[in-house]
Amino acid sequence: MSSLPRRVKSEPKAPTSEELPSFLNSTSESEEEEEEWEPKSKIARRPRLPKKTQAKTKKSAAPRSTVARKMVKKIAIKEEMDVSLPIAPVEDNKMQLLKPKEENAGSKLKSLNRMPEVPKKMEINSFQGKNQNSSVSDEKPSTSVPVVKQEECEEEFAFDEQPSKKIKLSACPEGKPVKNLGGNKIKEEFEMNWDIVQALSEITNVEPWVCANLIRLFQEENTIPFIARYRKELINNLEADALREVQHALEELRTVAKKTHTMIQKLKKEGKLSSCLLKGLLNCRTLEELDHVSSPYKTGSKGTKAQRAKQLGLEPAALSLLQNPVELNLFSYIRPNTKGLANIQEVEAGVQHILADIFAKDKDTLDFVRKLCQKRYISIQSTLAKVSSKNGNEKDIDKFQLYHEFSCNIKNIQHHQILAINRGENLKILTVKVNIPDGVKNEFCWWCVNERWRPKQFLKPEFMRLLRSSVEDAYKRLIYPLLCREFRSKLTSDAEKESVMMFGRNLRQLLLTSPVRGRALMGVDPGYKHGCKLAIISPTSQILHTDVVYLHSGQGFREAEKIKRLLLQYNCSTVVIGNGTACRETEAYFADLIMKKYFAPLDVVYCIVSEAGASIYSVSPEASKEMPDLDPNLRSAVSIARRVQDPLAELVKIEPKHIGVGMYQ
């Protein structure tokens, strides 16, 4: 015990601010850790105390008396009490660290568990303390608060990364985006029975959370370029084309919802809206389904057979057949003097029409028959119409000769074939039909009778026969035409989209054709009767000379002298021939002269270029402003030459529909 106060007694000699920095610099890092972190040094010192006392007793040769020992103990106690006063400023940190141990024993275990991490943090603090003022402040900050702050800083701090990046990665450790911008339900202006996010995901094959994020981004009026470039983490890195498809599908769904609610308001004013009809309208996802459900209720319509049967009061009988057939008596509905209720056959027909209408407008029933069609072989067939074969134009009929007896699976048919069939049908030259196998009908009828619309109670044989005939009538008269319209509409929309995409691909390839720069060119617009139009342009697209030569009227040799003179005069060694009328004959003419080296010493070459749209451009207002003094025939030759020299600059002057790069059959 005597060694401890002596060591402590030496420490108060250096409490001043002048000597403290030299003292800190002289000590090692391990000593700084022991001085700043008390629990570790205490644990290390406790086993050493008995060893020091034992060593001290060994050195003392003469034994002390009991009185002397008591005096030593009293002196040691007094020194310890006195020492606590002067060392308070120096050992301020130790006292602060001991306080939480006395107050809370649980914090001691936490501090022991964190012992390997604490020295690193304290080293940073001691390093910062060396750069600051070395004087110890008299304030006593709490030890628990800074430790927590240092742990948070250590988790979020990175030497090689910016703080914002670190925060982003800590929130999304795998680099994945937050899959929800807020709220699970997206509120639309017009509410339907289906969820717009799920419907959009099924149509576009995009994940639901991406669709939800896109809907919110579109609602905030963000553009597709902005979303594709700066919101990649919210859209799962979708391409711009996929974003346009999602936007188009979203607009279609909203159009259906808007028209549905308009139809509901209209029917409500007319008093035709019932709960069953309202449910059927709110279940519609496409315009075809909406037309299928609402067509009987449009103004000017005579009404369906089901509507006329309901007006006769047969709807309770139809509902009773499904729910409570035991109490049903169709003979009670017979009215001899009323048309439609005169006998039992008319009553059964009316009930059948109502049941068929219920079956055809049920969402689950339609979904089941659509799934059946996806698993079966469904073909589209076109034949020559009988009326057109008698009275039609033979030239138009020959254009569609490939489709006079045509049949193909709807999964394998080409897009250009769909467009051609549609044109033939519009011209009333072709008759088109969708063939659905009978297996779909048989399986659908069995499922409806035995599962979906199975009565809750036992049916009499005559009622069971009525139910089966109602299901067959619903499929043949209502569901089959709806499926045909859906297939035709889907094929047509896909073909139109593909035609536009193909047009874009071909146009891009044409506009990005490599230019032929730095040489004079001779453009040739070939022809028979009106001759071949020539135009020589400079390397900077300036018109140097224009002329007309007649190569295919027996004057080819005499015209060759004029062509040679022009080529030598303007040092032109490249001939550009348009691919229009008399193209092959003009090509053979120049190829023969080049092979005979007629244009020597010039090494002349030729090429063929598309002249689609050149004649239309030659008479356009743009061409008149650009070449006001030239004949339209000569303008086309200038345009042909410039298409090789700078394709992009020349083709942008022509309307895209006249360039001739679309889908062609």
Side-chain angles (χ1 to χ4, degrees):
M1 294 296 291
S2 60
S3 63
L4 181 61
R6 287 174 186 171
R7 185 181 65 80
V8 176
K9 203 170 187 179
S10 63
E11 291 178 359
K13 294 179 182 180
T16 59
S17 61
E18 295 178 356
E19 298 176 0
L20 191 58
S22 61
F23 170 74
L24 290 173
N25 292 330
S26 62
T27 56
S28 62
E29 293 181 1
S30 62
E31 289 176 355
E32 288 176 3
E33 292 176 8
E34 291 178 358
E35 290 176 4
E36 291 178 0
W37 182 250
E38 182 62 17
K40 185 174 182 180
S41 60
K42 281 285 183 183
I43 293 171
R45 287 175 189 171
R46 280 175 182 171
R48 294 178 188 173
L49 289 175
K51 293 180 181 179
K52 290 180 181 179
T53 55
Q54 290 174 5
K56 201 71 178 175
T57 54
K58 288 179 182 179
K59 289 180 181 179
S60 60
R64 295 182 179 180
S65 63
T66 58
V67 178
R69 289 177 183 175
K70 290 179 181 179
M71 292 299 292
V72 170
K73 289 180 180 180
K74 289 180 181 180
I75 292 168
I77 292 169
K78 286 182 180 179
E79 286 179 351
E80 286 182 355
M81 296 298 291
D82 295 334
V83 165
S84 63
L85 294 175
I87 67 171
V90 178
E91 300 227 347
D92 193 10
N93 293 333
K94 296 183 180 179
M95 298 299 291
Q96 292 169 9
L97 293 171
L98 289 173
K99 280 183 180 180
K101 290 184 180 180
E102 295 171 0
E103 293 173 1
N104 189 4
S107 62
K108 181 178 179 181
L109 296 175
K110 294 181 181 178
S111 62
L112 291 175
N113 293 334
R114 293 179 184 173
M115 202 175 295
E117 299 178 359
V118 171
K120 296 182 181 178
K121 299 174 188 175
M122 300 308 289
E123 284 175 12
I124 296 173
N125 292 338
S126 63
F127 173 75
Q128 293 174 353
K130 290 177 184 180
N131 297 333
Q132 298 172 357
N133 190 7
S134 61
S135 61
V136 181
S137 63
D138 295 335
E139 298 176 359
K140 294 183 179 181
S142 62
T143 56
S144 59
V145 176
V147 171
V148 175
K149 286 184 177 179
Q150 288 170 0
E151 286 181 357
E152 290 177 358
C153 294
E154 184 175 317
E155 289 176 0
E156 296 294 340
F157 183 74
F159 287 100
D160 299 329
E161 295 179 355
Q162 297 179 2
S164 59
K165 263 190 177 178
K166 186 66 179 177
I167 291 169
K168 184 176 179 181
L169 291 176
S170 62
C172 307
E174 299 179 1
K176 293 183 179 179
V178 179
K179 294 187 177 182
N180 196 354
L181 290 179
N184 296 326
K185 183 72 175 178
I186 294 180
K187 293 183 180 180
E188 287 290 320
E189 183 180 359
F190 303 102
E191 294 293 335
M192 303 290 287
N193 285 349
W194 38 265
D195 184 19
I196 191 169
V197 175
Q198 196 64 30
L200 189 63
S201 176
E202 292 174 1
I203 294 173
T204 59
N205 293 326
V206 177
E207 295 177 345
W209 65 271
V210 177
C211 293
N213 290 346
L214 280 173
I215 291 173
R216 290 189 174 92
L217 290 171
F218 287 140
Q219 285 176 348
E220 295 171 1
E221 298 183 356
N222 293 307
T223 61
I224 288 179
F226 176 82
I227 296 172
R229 296 178 66 183
Y230 304 116
R231 295 294 180 267
K232 290 183 177 181
E233 69 277 4
L234 297 178
I235 60 173
N236 203 16
N237 296 320
L238 284 181
E239 298 292 336
D241 293 337
L243 294 180
R244 292 189 187 95
E245 291 182 6
V246 173
Q247 187 181 35
H248 182 67
L250 179 62
E251 290 175 356
E252 289 182 350
L253 288 174
R254 285 176 173 165
T255 302
V256 172
K258 185 177 180 180
K259 289 187 175 181
T260 299
H261 281 264
T262 302
M263 181 61 66
I264 290 173
Q265 296 297 329
K266 182 180 178 182
L267 295 175
K268 188 181 293 184
K269 288 181 180 179
E270 296 176 357
K272 301 179 181 178
L273 187 64
S274 62
S275 59
C276 182
L277 176 59
L278 177 63
K279 183 179 178 181
L281 289 172
L282 293 177
N283 287 334
C284 296
R285 292 193 182 187
T286 62
L287 293 175
E288 289 78 14
E289 291 183 16
L290 179 61
D291 183 66
H292 170 69
V293 175
S294 63
S295 58
Y297 303 93
K298 292 180 180 178
T299 55
S301 175
K302 296 180 180 179
T304 61
K305 296 179 179 179
Q307 283 181 315
R308 293 196 290 269
K310 289 178 182 179
Q311 292 174 357
L312 295 174
L314 294 176
E315 187 174 8
L319 297 176
S320 179
L321 179 65
L322 298 175
Q323 299 174 0
N324 192 12
V326 177
E327 300 178 359
L328 178 61
N329 184 12
L330 294 180
F331 290 95
S332 63
Y333 290 91
I334 296 177
R335 304 288 186 270
N337 299 327
T338 304
K339 185 179 180 181
L341 301 175
N343 50 44
I344 189 64
Q345 288 79 15
E346 292 183 357
V347 172
E348 290 181 351
V351 172
Q352 175 180 321
H353 294 154
I354 295 174
L355 290 175
D357 184 70
I358 294 174
F359 300 158
K361 293 179 180 178
D362 181 64
K363 181 178 180 297
D364 295 336
T365 305
L366 293 176
D367 291 342
F368 179 79
V369 74
R370 290 190 185 105
K371 290 180 181 178
L372 288 178
C373 292
Q374 292 177 359
K375 302 175 183 177
R376 300 301 181 96
Y377 181 90
I378 299 174
S379 63
I380 184 169
Q381 181 180 358
S382 65
T383 56
L384 182 64
K386 296 180 180 179
V387 178
S388 63
S389 60
K390 297 179 181 178
N391 304 325
N393 188 359
E394 293 183 0
K395 186 179 292 186
D396 293 337
I397 294 175
D398 292 340
K399 289 181 180 179
F400 299 95
Q401 186 175 2
L402 293 174
Y403 305 101
H404 289 179
E405 294 293 335
F406 178 81
S407 179
C408 183
N409 187 359
I410 60 173
K411 295 181 180 179
N412 301 329
I413 192 169
Q414 300 297 319
H415 298 294
H416 66 86
Q417 294 174 335
I418 289 293
L419 296 178
I421 288 173
N422 291 345
R423 285 199 305 273
E425 187 180 25
N426 293 334
L427 295 174
K428 298 182 180 180
I429 297 175
L430 300 177
T431 301
V432 186
K433 185 175 69 170
V434 177
N435 292 327
I436 300 177
D438 294 336
V440 174
K441 176 185 175 182
N442 298 334
E443 189 172 352
F444 169 75
C445 293
W446 183 92
W447 177 80
C448 286
V449 172
N450 294 281
E451 293 187 13
R452 179 68 182 92
W453 300 104
R454 185 174 182 176
K456 298 180 180 179
Q457 298 177 1
F458 175 75
L459 275 185
K460 297 178 181 179
E462 58 269 18
F463 289 163
M464 181 60 73
R465 177 181 52 80
L466 179 60
L467 180 62
R468 288 174 179 167
S469 61
S470 300
V471 172
E472 293 179 358
D473 180 52
Y475 178 84
K476 180 179 179 181
R477 186 167 54 88
L478 301 173
I479 296 177
Y480 175 77
L482 174 64
L483 294 175
C484 293
R485 289 195 300 269
E486 286 183 353
F487 289 135
R488 294 289 305 277
S489 176
K490 181 73 167 52
L491 291 173
T492 302
S493 63
D494 291 347
E496 290 175 350
K497 290 179 183 177
E498 178 61 25
S499 65
V500 173
M501 293 176 64
M502 179 176 288
F503 183 88
R505 291 194 297 267
N506 294 343
L507 182 61
R508 176 185 176 86
Q509 185 178 358
L510 185 63
L511 294 178
L512 295 181
T513 305
S514 300
V516 180
R517 299 187 184 276
R519 63 173 70 185
L521 300 177
M522 174 184 281
V524 181
D525 185 7
Y528 290 114
K529 183 177 180 182
H530 298 285
C532 298
K533 281 70 68 177
L534 305 180
I536 299 178
I537 61 174
S538 69
T540 58
S541 297
Q542 301 296 323
I543 302 174
L544 302 178
H545 182 79
T546 57
D547 207 338
V548 180
V549 293
Y550 298 89
L551 305 179
H552 311 299
S553 59
Q555 304 176 6
F557 180 76
R558 186 173 61 185
E559 299 292 353
E561 290 291 335
K562 183 191 292 186
I563 295 173
K564 180 179 180 180
R565 187 178 71 252
L566 291 174
L567 293 177
L568 291 173
Q569 180 181 352
Y570 295 102
N571 193 22
C572 179
S573 60
T574 305
V575 179
V576 182
I577 303 172
N579 65 346
T581 306
C583 168
R584 295 304 175 192
E585 291 79 0
T586 307
E587 179 190 5
Y589 177 82
F590 277 97
D592 184 54
L593 294 178
I594 291 171
M595 186 177 60
K596 294 178 180 178
K597 298 183 179 181
Y598 181 78
F599 302 113
L602 290 176
D603 186 12
V604 178
V605 295
Y606 75 96
C607 65
I608 298 177
V609 68
S610 172
E611 63 175 31
S615 59
I616 297 175
Y617 167 73
S618 64
V619 295
S620 65
E622 291 79 8
S624 301
K625 292 178 182 178
E626 187 179 5
M627 297 171 281
D629 300 331
L630 282 184
D631 184 80
N633 292 327
L634 298 175
R635 292 174 188 167
S636 62
V638 174
S639 178
I640 289 172
R642 287 177 175 172
R643 290 186 183 196
V644 173
Q645 195 171 60
D646 195 349
L648 181 59
E650 189 64 25
L651 291 173
V652 294
K653 303 174 184 177
I654 305 171
E655 292 186 30
K657 63 182 180 180
H658 296 147
I659 296 181
V661 292
M663 189 178 291
Y664 182 76
Q665 309 88 34

